[in-house]
């Protein structure tokens, strides 16, 4: 029987989901770590953000990979969900999903959809203005040294977005809770999809996944709440 | 024990089907679930009604024939049991019990609670075998040294009875636990190594062709499997498939 080719089979698609998930997991760790600097030092946060915003490897290699990873992850996620949905068109009259699987594992499509909606808001808030600033308006962040519109404008921008805007703060916090729920299953699931499972390492991966799914969203929540509360 | 049964009735593959209520009385706690169904069917036959059609054979948990989705779970609320091993003492007097067939596009309903599980047969036919000489000069399997751990893992995988509870309970109707068990039971042993790469690709491809869903690692299959087949088998199948694909096996 012929091979189904790239992404043709169930397992290949799951592998692609897992690979993009692990990339996004690493990305979230660095994103949270850098953002956390804003709580402790505005200058350090600006310095690091400036570095990330101008270093060619991040801008022209990692950023396109990240965009591709995000697109692949959610498009493939919806394709997989549609296939799964169509594999059982007549539903059970009585189905007790909670008897044998966690809520997180059964609702990845919904937690993922909330995160996707949040990405829309997040891009509107930070990424689109940043791209417009650099690539549309063509402002060179190395030359300008003003406050709000310079290469070191990042801290000001972050503070400005959470200045008295309780709705934005709540939307961010709720989204991060959904991110935690998504990661709680996604972390260990990614390893399983790649076939990485053993009696020795799987319990460690599970604990690491639980810790990661709590600490990373909690870090983001602390950042959002800190910048809102300190401007009241 | 009195019970209200809500049972899926469907005249044939093309019929739309519906849940029908039945009251049964005189059910003992020591009866198996299938014996309770027998009591119901006797009552229906006495009344001149059509009995409820369901699969059953050995009634001791090894044939994999019985297949009922009871109160939202494959083979009902018990763990490591098939429907025939489920006893009525697991239910309360006056309880309402939902009884449905396995639901999956790959398992079309034949009639009432009986579904067509030949998709599993076709997955096996695609590669779930070893090509050995059976001309009479076959080497004694015991002459091949096999590590105890591998032999145990292969045996664990081989205990899969192909009942389809994994598909029925999976929210995606995925057949990965079944397929991975049938791949593992052979690939863990030296006799299965020769065709290991072709086997995993052919069986996974057939599984996809049958219309089963994708595994999302919820782990529900492992919990509901009457033989306790482990998710380790799915991870092994993923590894073997990815490795075989990377090596360009067709």
């Amino acid at each position: 029987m012929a091979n189904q080719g790239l992404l043709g089979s169930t397992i290949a698609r799951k592998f692609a989901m897992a690979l993009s998930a692990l990339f996004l997991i690493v990305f979230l760790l660095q994103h949270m770590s850098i953002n956390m600097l804003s709580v402790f030092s505005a200058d350090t946060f600006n310095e690091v953000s400036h570095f990330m915003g101008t270093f060619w490897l991040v801008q022209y290699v990692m950023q396109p990979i990240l965009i591709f990873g995000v697109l692949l992850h959610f498009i493939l996620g919806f394709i997989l969900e549609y296939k799964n949905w169509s594999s059982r068109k007549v539903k059970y009259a009585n189905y007790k999903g909670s008897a044998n699987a966690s809520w997180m594992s059964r609702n990845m499509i919904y937690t993922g959809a909330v995160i996707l909606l949040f990405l829309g808001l997040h891009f509107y808030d930070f990424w689109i203005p940043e791209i417009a600033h650099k690539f549309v308006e063509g402002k060179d962040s190395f030359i300008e040294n003003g406050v709000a519109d310079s290469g070191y404008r990042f801290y000001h921008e972050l503070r400005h977005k959470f200045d008295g805007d309780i709705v934005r703060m709540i939307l961010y916090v709720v989204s991060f809770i959904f991110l935690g729920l998504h990661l709680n299953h996604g972390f260990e699931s990614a390893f399983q999809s790649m076939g990485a499972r053993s009696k020795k390492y799987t319990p460690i991966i599970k604990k690491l996944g639980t810790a990661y799914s709590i600490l990373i969203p909690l870090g983001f929540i602390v950042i959002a709440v800190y910048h809102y509360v300190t401007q009241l | 024990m009195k019970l209200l049964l809500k049972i899926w009735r469907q005249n044939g593959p093309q019929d739309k089907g519906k849940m029908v209520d039945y009251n049964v009385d005189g059910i003992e706690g020591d009866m198996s679930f299938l014996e309770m169904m027998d009591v119901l069917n006797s009552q229906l036959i006495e009344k001149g009604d059509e009995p409820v059609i369901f699969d059953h054979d050995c009634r001791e948990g090894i044939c994999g024939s019985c297949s009922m989705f009871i109160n939202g779970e494959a083979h009902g609320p018990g763990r490591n049991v098939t429907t025939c091993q489920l006893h009525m003492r697991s239910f309360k007097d006056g309880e309402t019990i939902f009884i449905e067939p396995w639901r999956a596009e790959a398992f079309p309903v034949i009639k009432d609670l009986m579904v067509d599980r030949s998709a599993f047969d076709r997955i096996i036919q695609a590669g779930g075998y070893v090509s050995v000489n059976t001309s009479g000069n076959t080497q004694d399997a015991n002459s091949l040294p096999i590590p105890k751990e591998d032999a145990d893992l292969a045996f664990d995988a081989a205990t899969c009875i192909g009942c389809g509870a994994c598909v029925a309970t999976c929210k995606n109707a995925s057949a990965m636990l079944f397929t991975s068990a049938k791949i593992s039971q052979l690939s863990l042993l030296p006799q299965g190594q020769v065709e290991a790469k072709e086997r995993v690709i052919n069986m996974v491809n057939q599984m996809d062709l049958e219309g089963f869903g994708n595994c999302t690692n919820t782990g529900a299959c492992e919990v509901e499997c009457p033989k306790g087949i482990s998710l380790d088998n799915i991870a092994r199948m993923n590894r073997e498939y990815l490795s075989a694909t990377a090596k360009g096996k067709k």
Side-chain angles (χ1 to χ4, degrees):
Chain A
M1 188 179 294
N3 195 328
Q4 295 186 90
L6 190 69
L7 299 187
S9 86
T10 313
I11 295 176
R13 284 194 295 266
K14 282 297 294 171
F15 180 75
M17 278 298 275
L19 202 61
S20 56
L22 289 177
F23 181 79
L24 295 174
I25 282 169
V26 174
F27 164 74
L28 280 176
L29 178 64
Q30 70 87 20
H31 192 5
M32 197 280 286
S33 307
I34 293 173
N35 283 20
M36 190 56 86
L37 293 172
S38 70
V39 172
F40 300 103
S41 164
D43 289 343
T44 315
F45 175 68
N46 270 334
E47 290 286 344
V48 177
S49 301
H50 178 235
F51 169 76
M52 295 296 281
T54 52
F55 184 41
W56 66 271
L57 186 66
V58 175
Q59 282 300 295
Y60 301 111
V61 180
M62 297 311 286
Q63 187 165 258
I65 293 175
L66 175 64
I67 294 167
F68 176 75
V70 170
L71 287 173
L72 180 77
H73 195 73
F74 84 77
I75 291 172
L76 214 47
F78 282 118
I79 291 172
L80 285 165
E81 187 63 22
Y82 174 74
K83 175 77 180 70
N84 293 342
W85 176 84
S86 53
S87 295
R88 180 177 292 133
K89 286 177 186 157
V90 180
K91 310 296 174 195
Y92 288 109
N94 186 351
Y95 182 75
K96 205 183 284 178
S98 60
N100 45 45
S102 70
W103 187 92
M104 283 77 81
S105 71
R106 288 180 287 119
N107 292 282
M108 290 296 275
I109 191 68
Y110 301 113
T111 51
V114 171
I115 297 164
L116 184 61
L117 288 174
F118 165 75
L119 275 184
L121 172 67
H122 191 53
F123 276 31
Y124 171 78
D125 279 353
F126 297 105
W127 193 72
I128 292 170
E130 175 68 13
I131 294 297
H133 182 88
K134 276 196 297 207
F135 299 111
V136 180
E137 295 164 27
K139 291 182 181 172
D140 189 336
S141 54
F142 283 111
I143 299 165
E144 294 185 40
N145 283 309
V147 178
D149 201 21
S150 76
Y152 295 91
R153 66 198 173 280
F154 305 100
Y155 184 75
H156 177 85
E157 226 175 353
L158 177 61
R159 297 283 288 178
H160 175 67
K161 285 289 186 304
F162 289 100
D163 189 3
D165 195 342
I166 192 166
V167 175
R168 178 174 270 108
M169 192 270 285
I170 289 171
L171 282 176
Y172 269 65
V173 169
V174 170
S175 301
F176 294 141
I177 291 169
F178 275 87
L179 175 66
L181 295 170
H182 197 75
L183 285 170
N184 188 278
H185 175 67
F187 193 98
E188 62 164 295
S189 177
F191 286 91
Q192 168 77 0
S193 290
M194 298 175 106
R197 185 181 175 93
S198 75
K199 284 197 168 45
K200 191 175 172 189
Y201 295 112
T202 300
I204 300 169
I205 290 169
K206 280 187 179 175
K207 281 180 189 151
L208 202 63
T210 305
Y212 190 92
S213 69
I214 294 169
L215 294 176
I216 296 291
L218 190 64
F220 280 123
I221 288 171
V222 166
I223 296 160
V225 172
Y226 171 83
H227 288 296
Y228 174 77
V229 170
T230 52
Q231 293 187 95
L232 285 175
Chain B
M1 195 187 274
K2 272 186 184 174
L3 297 165
L4 171 60
L5 307 175
K6 289 180 176 289
I7 302 177
W8 181 261
R9 300 303 308 261
Q10 185 173 335
N11 261 329
Q14 307 307 321
D15 184 34
K16 208 174 162 209
K18 61 179 179 184
M19 299 297 286
V20 178
D21 290 359
Y22 297 97
N23 288 295
V24 282
D25 201 354
I27 302 299
E28 300 291 329
D30 291 340
M31 284 180 177
S32 76
F33 201 86
L34 295 188
E35 284 165 345
M36 183 278 292
M37 292 298 292
D38 292 339
V39 171
L40 170 71
N41 275 346
S42 300
Q43 289 176 8
L44 290 175
I45 291 164
E46 276 174 26
K47 280 195 280 182
D49 291 340
E50 182 91 356
V52 178
I53 304 299
F54 59 90
D55 270 319
H56 64 102
D57 190 6
C58 75
R59 297 206 176 199
E60 54 185 15
I62 53 168
C63 75
S65 292
C66 54
S67 52
M68 293 184 196
F69 207 77
I70 303 160
N71 277 352
E73 291 183 74
H75 295 301
R79 291 288 172 260
N80 297 317
V81 291
T82 52
T83 302
C84 64
Q85 294 171 301
L86 179 68
H87 285 89
M88 294 315 295
R89 64 179 89 95
S90 306
F91 302 90
K92 294 188 196 87
D93 185 30
E95 192 171 338
T96 299
I97 304 176
F98 283 78
I99 309 168
E100 298 174 76
W102 286 172
R103 294 275 186 217
E105 292 309 297
F107 286 168
V109 172
I110 297 169
K111 190 168 182 176
D112 295 338
L113 304 173
M114 179 190 269
V115 298
D116 179 359
R117 284 172 280 185
S118 58
F120 273 8
D121 299 335
R122 290 188 289 275
I123 292 174
I124 296 287
Q125 286 160 10
Y129 50 79
V130 285
S131 302
V132 292
N133 184 357
T134 54
S135 63
N137 301 319
T138 312
Q139 189 180 7
D140 189 326
N142 288 321
S143 67
L144 294 173
I146 300 168
K148 173 80 165 66
E149 194 183 344
D150 289 353
D152 287 350
L153 289 172
F155 186 81
D156 287 347
T159 58
C160 167
I161 52 176
C163 66
C166 47
V167 174
T169 199
C170 174
K171 76 176 191 65
N172 312 319
S174 168
M176 279 224 179
L177 194 68
F178 165 80
T179 309
S180 67
K182 297 301 173 192
I183 288 170
S184 290
Q185 68 179 9
L186 300 175
S187 71
L188 282 161
L189 300 175
Q191 296 95 325
Q193 286 301 315
V194 184
E195 296 150 312
K197 296 202 181 330
E198 287 82 0
R199 177 184 305 118
V200 67
I201 286 183
N202 290 343
M203 290 178 74
V204 168
N205 287 355
Q206 187 62 41
M207 174 185 79
D208 289 346
L209 281 175
E210 295 293 345
F212 292 106
N214 302 283
C215 172
T216 53
N217 305 319
T218 66
C221 52
E222 184 185 51
V223 176
E224 297 292 343
C225 174
K227 297 297 160 188
I229 302 293
S230 165
L231 292 181
D232 293 352
N233 292 296
I234 297 183
R236 184 178 298 108
M237 175 176 71
N238 292 347
R239 281 198 299 276
E240 286 186 18
Y241 182 86
L242 294 167
S243 159
T245 307
K247 285 174 183 161
K249 284 282 173 187
K250 300 237 182 251

